[in-house]
Amino acid sequence: MDTADCLLPRHVPEMEEVSLYGIPAGYAAAMRKTWRPQVRHGVQLDVHGARKPEWVAVNAANPLRDWDGREHIPRAGHRKAVAQYEATRDAFLAEVTGGEHYGDIAEIGRAFAAAFNALDSRSSFIETVEREELFDALDFLVEEAQTAAGRDLSAARAALIEGVESSRDW
């Protein structure tokens, strides 16, 4: 997303609201500049949470990046969630590159669930959306591993999810 991608008011003359969050900083600035004059014509403009290029680079492959700045998720909770995701990802990748035996993968799933149980017990923030995002994050890491391994990891995914389901409280 850059300035060339900006949605122009002349292309959508009936636009009533422009609300953007967590977008690249350059794009945010361009959209604000483009749409600010339309506010006097009744357009609601809300562009916030712009992300610097460094943040985008670090978080491009982070499926929990949307948790950063989410109102009900504590900043420390977000950092610990990302660290746990990365630890789970690393453990999963190490396990699936070792062969076809997936015995320890269910344990990786249980550890993932236990870590998020502990995080959620401190300040209950895992709601329906976050629960779905955690499972999406697991799917993301399995797809990443599958691409890297060049083989089907459906059995490994099933073992990982089984481990999570056996231990999660969220």
Side-chain angles (χ1 to χ4, degrees):
M1 299 173 88
D2 60 24
T3 56
D5 297 321
C6 281
L7 179 63
L8 301 175
R10 67 174 185 229
H11 293 142
V12 286
E14 301 299 318
M15 182 71 76
E16 295 179 0
E17 180 179 356
V18 176
S19 181
L20 300 169
Y21 171 77
I23 58 175
Y27 184 71
M31 286 296 285
R32 277 190 208 101
K33 181 178 178 183
T34 300
W35 284 91
R36 192 167 285 131
Q38 301 304 313
V39 170
R40 67 176 167 235
H41 301 295
V43 173
Q44 299 290 319
L45 180 62
D46 180 21
V47 179
H48 64 280
R51 305 300 187 181
K52 294 180 180 176
E54 300 81 26
W55 186 95
V56 173
V58 167
N59 286 284
N62 172 8
L64 301 178
R65 67 184 163 270
D66 291 339
W67 288 22
D68 187 13
R70 196 171 287 175
E71 195 171 302
H72 69 284
I73 298 177
R75 184 172 296 284
H78 170 255
R79 282 194 308 273
K80 290 176 182 177
V82 170
Q84 181 58 49
Y85 168 77
E86 290 172 353
T88 301
R89 178 186 168 275
D90 293 346
F92 183 82
L93 287 171
E95 186 67 25
V96 298
T97 56
E100 295 288 326
H101 181 263
Y102 303 131
D104 291 339
I105 290 182
E107 185 54 41
I108 293 168
R110 283 189 285 279
F112 180 85
F116 281 95
N117 288 344
L119 279 174
D120 196 47
S121 71
R122 290 186 193 112
S123 59
S124 185
F125 67 88
I126 299 177
E127 298 174 0
T128 303
V129 170
E130 290 77 22
R131 186 177 311 116
E132 290 174 8
E133 289 170 338
L134 286 170
F135 281 106
D136 289 345
L138 294 173
D139 285 340
F140 182 83
L141 78 83
V142 171
E143 288 171 20
E144 181 183 16
Q146 200 162 261
T147 300
R151 65 182 198 277
D152 180 38
L153 296 176
S154 299
R157 180 195 180 281
L160 182 67
I161 299 301
E162 180 183 315
V164 171
E165 289 289 8
S166 72
S167 299
R168 76 177 178 92
D169 293 334
W170 31 272

